[in-house]
Amino acid sequence: MTKTPQVLFVCVSNRGKSVMAQGLSNKVAESAITASSAGTDAAIGKHVNDISAEVLAEIGVDISDHNPRQLTDDLMRAADITVVLGTSAKVVAPDGVIVEVWKTDEPSQRGIDGIERMRLIRDDIAARINDLTTRLTTP
């Protein structure tokens, strides 16, 4: 039996994209990977972004009880791969840690805001998780 890949998703606050990725992994990856999340500056807020939670609830994923967690070197070392969502979070990984940066879609650059923006971000992250899961679980 092979070990389930451990993926750590990271964004700045751990209130939006990274926790969305964690929640989506549970749905999209269907236990093929184990996901967790953290933020490079998790002290920014105490609760998950309301719109992030709303767009995940639309597809049956509940992240409403998530509490932001600060990124640490130990969290990165415990993961098989650390995935940084977007380019705002700056991650300096300890030696030997694999880091992948996803330049996620940013609909606001096209004038799309609010819930529609978050739906597009959700769908982009879900597609990337499908790809990541395939890469991590295909021999």
Side-chain angles (χ1 to χ4, degrees):
M1 181 178 197
T2 60
K3 178 181 168 267
T4 303
Q6 307 288 311
V7 180
L8 175 64
F9 292 103
V10 176
C11 68
V12 174
S13 68
N14 192 219
R15 296 177 58 241
K17 291 179 182 179
S18 63
V19 71
M20 288 174 72
Q22 179 183 351
L24 284 165
S25 291
N26 294 331
K27 181 174 181 77
V28 174
E30 298 179 359
S31 302
I33 64 173
T34 300
S36 62
S37 65
T40 57
D41 192 4
I44 289 175
K46 301 220 183 279
H47 304 286
V48 74
N49 176 293
D50 290 337
I51 300 175
S52 296
E54 184 177 347
V55 299
L56 287 187
E58 290 176 350
I59 60 167
V61 177
D62 182 9
I63 60 169
S64 62
D65 64 349
H66 177 80
N67 292 309
R69 177 170 68 158
Q70 183 62 40
L71 179 66
T72 66
D73 287 355
D74 286 341
L75 288 173
M76 287 189 282
R77 285 186 193 101
D80 294 303
I81 185 169
T82 297
V83 176
V84 181
L85 290 104
T87 56
S88 296
K90 304 302 179 208
V91 174
V92 177
D95 287 343
V97 170
I98 298 169
V99 175
E100 184 171 300
V101 177
W102 290 355
K103 294 181 181 176
T104 52
D105 183 25
E106 188 42 70
S108 64
Q109 293 175 349
R110 300 187 305 277
I112 303 168
D113 290 311
I115 197 160
E116 186 56 33
R117 171 184 174 260
M118 282 308 219
R119 286 180 181 132
L120 292 168
I121 290 170
R122 173 198 65 200
D123 296 346
D124 178 41
I125 292 171
R128 291 169 184 269
I129 290 169
N130 275 328
D131 176 65
L132 177 67
T133 302
T134 299
R135 288 188 286 128
L136 293 177
T137 59
T138 302

